[in-house]
Each structure stands twice: as C-alpha cells, then as structure tokens.
Amino acid sequence: MRVIYTDQYDLNLANHIFPSIKYRLIKEKLLRDQVVGPRDIALVHSRDYIRKLQAGKLSYMEILRLEIPYSPELVRAVWLSAGGSILAGRLALQDGTCANLGGGFHHAYPDHGEGFCVLNDFAIGIRRLQKDKAIERAMTVDCDVHQGNGTAAIFGGDPSVFTLSIHQENNYPYPKPPSTLDINLHDGVEDAEYLDELGKGLDQALSQFQPDLIYYVAGADPYRDDQLGGLKLSIEGLERRDRLVFEKASAKQIPVAITLAGGYARRVEDTIQIHTNTIRIAKEFSK
Ligand SMILES: [Zn+2]
C-alpha cells in the first residue's frame, strides 16, 4: 500500500490543540517501525554497531571518524534514509526509476561509519529486497567523486551484487577496498574523458552481469567547483552522466533507484541544480 505525505502538512502550530506535528511523527514512526526495523539494518550492519548507535555509546574516536556530530536526530535521519532507499528500490521495480532525495551513504561499513556516512542505506535496500525475493541480483553504480569503500567492503566476494565505482583516485577514502569494477580517474578529469570512461565501464559491467535493479549513487561532487572533489565536470557534463546511466540501464530494461550522495559546491545552488537535474532526467525514463 502507498501512503501520501508532505512535510507541509505540519502547520507548525506549536501548542495549539490541533496537533499538526502528528503528520510528521506518524510518517517517521511508520518508516522506522514498518519499513525499516533493526532487523533490516542488521542485514548490513553489525549488531554491536547498531546497539552503540541507538544507545549513544559510540566512542570519541568513532564519532570523530564520522566527521559529523552525533545526536539522536542523526540516528533518526540515517534510519529514515535507509527506509527511503528501501522504498526507492521497491518503487523503481514498479515504475522504472525512483529517487530517494537523500541517502547514498557509501562510506558506511558493517561495523562503523565514516566520512559523513552512518548507515549504508542502499546496501540495506539491496539486502532487504533480496530478502523479500523482490530481486536476486543488484548493481551499484557509484558516480560520487569519492570511492564507495563501505559498499565495496559490504559486498566484496558476494556474486549477487556487482559494485561499480568511478571516482578520483587521489582523494578520500584511503584505503579503497576493491569494488567489482573500480574506475580510478586522475585529478582534473573533464566531461569528455569522464563520460568515455563511464560509458566503457557501464558496458563492461552490464555485459558481465545482469542485475534486477541498479542503485545509482548520483553524487554531485565530481563538479569542477566542488570543495571536496578534484575532478572538473561541468553541470552539463553531469547531466550527460545521468543520462548515460539511465540510457544504458533502460536499454537492458533494468530499473534504477537513485540516491543523492555527496555535493559540496562552493555555491550550494549549484549542488541543488545538479541533483535536481538528475531527478528531472530520471523522470524521462520512468514508466
Ligand atoms: Zn563524495
């Protein structure tokens, strides 16, 4: 069953007798309890790590490694992101494409988080959809400027998941556990070379492996004006990147679930433009 919701249902009436905050709280509770329970998170993450996250028992070093402040709100947000990526996968199977306007937390490992990533939302999506027998095989196409180390570690040695990562080699993370296919780019790569490498990589991956679903990690940080990236793609080049991913997938009738991942442009408007372009182009490929 689908339900309908928008944050704008909340009238922000503070202490008024009409409890308009209920809309948001119901949505959050449904997502937490029904869509993604601790058992779903445990399909990817260690029980010890989940317990520490929920109880606020991460060590100082573990919090430092996350590089974002720990709070109960953070745990709630990443929990909801995991639910969002499960839903995005499920709806992509029906509609051809679907986007979680969040997630893409590819640096999260089974037993720890790092680099702004607490839970690997789309890895949880893959495991949950496999468990539901909605899919057997999945592919991750990770176009964030940083390598998908957590995803590579989670699915390493699992023949049911193909991980593709195209990224700047000379950048975080270190080390980089091997993806099924890593495309290591040198600093300063521009549109034409990037698109050529990505096209070849996708052809190679899709000739070797036939997934039931692709999770597209559509990072905005390969952008030339990104503060944490060292590639030189233009906004138009990133649009062509998105289109390339959807075209290659659609040629083989493979549904695509999108997660946003990173984006640290000097002007936040550029990050927003890059991400909204991805969603607009995805819509062209939905049924
Ligand atoms: Zn990134």
Side-chain angles (χ1 to χ4, degrees), residues 104-166:
F105 298 127
H106 58 164
H107 301 312
Y109 281 72
D111 63 350
H112 75 271
E114 60 176 71
F116 318 145
C117 300
V118 180
L119 296 176
N120 197 312
D121 52 283
F122 57 98
I124 293 165
I126 290 171
R127 288 298 188 225
R128 172 63 193 265
L129 292 174
Q130 285 181 324
K131 190 178 150 204
D132 292 348
K133 309 235 180 294
I135 61 168
E136 283 178 15
R137 294 144 69 87
M139 180 179 287
T140 61
V141 174
D142 188 338
C143 293
D144 190 276
V145 80
H146 305 100
Q147 193 248 6
N149 55 343
T151 318
I154 289 164
F155 295 117
D158 179 344
S160 73
V161 182
F162 190 110
T163 57
L164 184 165
S165 179
I166 179 167

Side-chain angles (χ1 to χ4, degrees), residues 89-90 92-93 129 135 137-139 211-215 254-257:
R90 203 175 277 152
L93 293 175
L129 292 174
I135 61 168
R137 294 144 69 87
M139 180 179 287
D212 304 308
L213 175 67
I214 288 174
Y215 271 93
I254 304 162
V256 182

Side-chain angles (χ1 to χ4, degrees), residues 122-249:
F122 57 98
I124 293 165
I126 290 171
R127 288 298 188 225
R128 172 63 193 265
L129 292 174
Q130 285 181 324
K131 190 178 150 204
D132 292 348
K133 309 235 180 294
I135 61 168
E136 283 178 15
R137 294 144 69 87
M139 180 179 287
T140 61
V141 174
D142 188 338
C143 293
D144 190 276
V145 80
H146 305 100
Q147 193 248 6
N149 55 343
T151 318
I154 289 164
F155 295 117
D158 179 344
S160 73
V161 182
F162 190 110
T163 57
L164 184 165
S165 179
I166 179 167
H167 49 263
Q168 182 191 7
E169 184 167 23
N170 177 34
N171 200 335
Y172 173 89
Y174 304 102
K176 298 173 176 57
S179 312
T180 318
L181 176 59
D182 279 302
I183 305 172
N184 298 299
L185 301 174
H186 54 80
D187 297 0
V189 161
E190 297 183 14
D191 293 348
E193 185 180 351
Y194 184 98
L195 294 166
D196 184 51
E197 290 290 339
L198 177 60
K200 283 191 292 194
L202 286 168
D203 285 343
Q204 187 191 326
L206 291 170
S207 67
Q208 271 175 253
F209 188 88
Q210 293 79 45
D212 304 308
L213 175 67
I214 288 174
Y215 271 93
Y216 175 31
V217 182
D221 49 11
Y223 178 46
R224 63 184 168 208
D225 204 26
D226 193 272
Q227 301 173 89
L228 299 182
L231 299 183
K232 292 227 165 98
L233 272 72
S234 66
I235 290 182
E236 298 70 34
L238 286 160
E239 279 191 67
R240 286 165 60 201
R241 171 199 72 170
D242 295 334
R243 195 171 287 285
L244 188 60
V245 172
F246 297 126
E247 276 171 359
K248 298 280 185 197

